[in-house]
Amino acid sequence: MEFYKRIIEIIDANLIYCLIPIVLILMVVELIFKNRFETKKALNLIRWTIIIYTIITWTFYLMGMATTENPNEYAFINRATGPYAWAYWIMFLGALILPLTLFIRKLASKFWYVLLVAFGMKSGMYFERFVIILTSFHRDYGTEYWNTGLMESASYGIGIFFLQGLVIVMLTLGIFEIIKRKKTGYNTV
């Protein structure tokens, strides 16, 4: 179980957290280069990545709930009925139901909808980071340098996500361009 958990963490850090920048960069490429690159195919690949990731993580979560030795790690009942149940249900629906709506092809072909799904999938993580950054600014015992370092760290993290997204988009569009050239027999440099 730990092995699968580690694999999901690696996929989260290197792909899933970068989904928002990936979709935004694809939107910009589509706006600038109007049908020059295979952006719709790349969006379809992202769609299936989201669907497969959702199915795998929820299967892992359900298996963990059924076989765990530590029931507090998967405390579904307490979270779903506690004082913050509304927030838990929003995150639950955003992480499970919203990605599965990408099976509807018409919705999945829209950049804005895939962007909404990518945000909804990890809305809990985004809210958690927002709260950590916001509360760190209001500490009475922190130094001014410490707050500056935290802000630099947060902006560095966002920059890394956008850089990873840019690299992933360039690789994906490059692969689709190579496939298109091989199919058409058009091999000019």
Side-chain angles (χ1 to χ4, degrees), residues 19-32:
L19 283 176
I20 291 176
I22 289 171
V23 175
L24 287 173
I25 293 168
L26 280 175
M27 287 171 64
V28 169
V29 168
E30 179 67 22
L31 286 173
I32 293 173

Side-chain angles (χ1 to χ4, degrees), residues 139-158:
R139 288 189 168 173
D140 293 337
Y141 55 86
T143 63
E144 186 174 323
Y145 174 74
W146 185 80
N147 284 341
T148 305
L150 178 71
M151 196 58 189
E152 288 173 2
S153 173
S155 60
Y156 176 76
I158 292 170

Side-chain angles (χ1 to χ4, degrees), residues 8-133:
I8 289 173
E9 288 173 358
I10 291 170
I11 292 171
D12 269 348
N14 293 309
L15 182 64
I16 302 303
Y17 292 157
C18 303
L19 283 176
I20 291 176
I22 289 171
V23 175
L24 287 173
I25 293 168
L26 280 175
M27 287 171 64
V28 169
V29 168
E30 179 67 22
L31 286 173
I32 293 173
F33 295 107
K34 299 274 189 223
N35 299 324
R36 164 65 179 93
F37 294 105
E38 303 285 338
T39 54
K40 290 294 184 179
K41 285 185 180 179
L43 189 67
N44 194 34
L45 179 66
I46 290 169
R47 163 196 178 198
W48 284 107
T49 302
I50 290 171
I51 291 170
I52 291 168
Y53 172 82
T54 301
I55 292 170
I56 289 172
T57 54
W58 278 99
T59 303
F60 173 75
Y61 184 78
L62 292 174
M63 286 178 12
M65 281 177 54
T67 63
T68 187
E69 297 164 2
N70 184 8
N72 291 333
E73 187 176 348
Y74 300 95
F76 177 78
I77 300 298
N78 292 339
R79 293 178 185 154
T81 60
Y84 298 105
W86 61 271
Y88 182 75
W89 282 105
I90 288 172
M91 289 185 288
F92 178 80
L93 295 173
L96 179 63
I97 304 302
L98 199 56
L100 295 180
T101 61
L102 291 177
F103 278 120
I104 302 168
R105 189 179 303 257
K106 193 169 189 169
L107 289 175
S109 66
K110 301 194 182 315
F111 286 103
W112 288 106
Y113 188 76
V114 176
L115 185 67
L116 173 73
V117 170
F119 179 77
M121 281 177 60
K122 293 296 178 181
S123 62
M125 187 271 306
Y126 297 132
F127 183 70
E128 178 184 10
R129 296 237 172 125
F130 171 74
V131 168
I132 289 170
I133 290 170

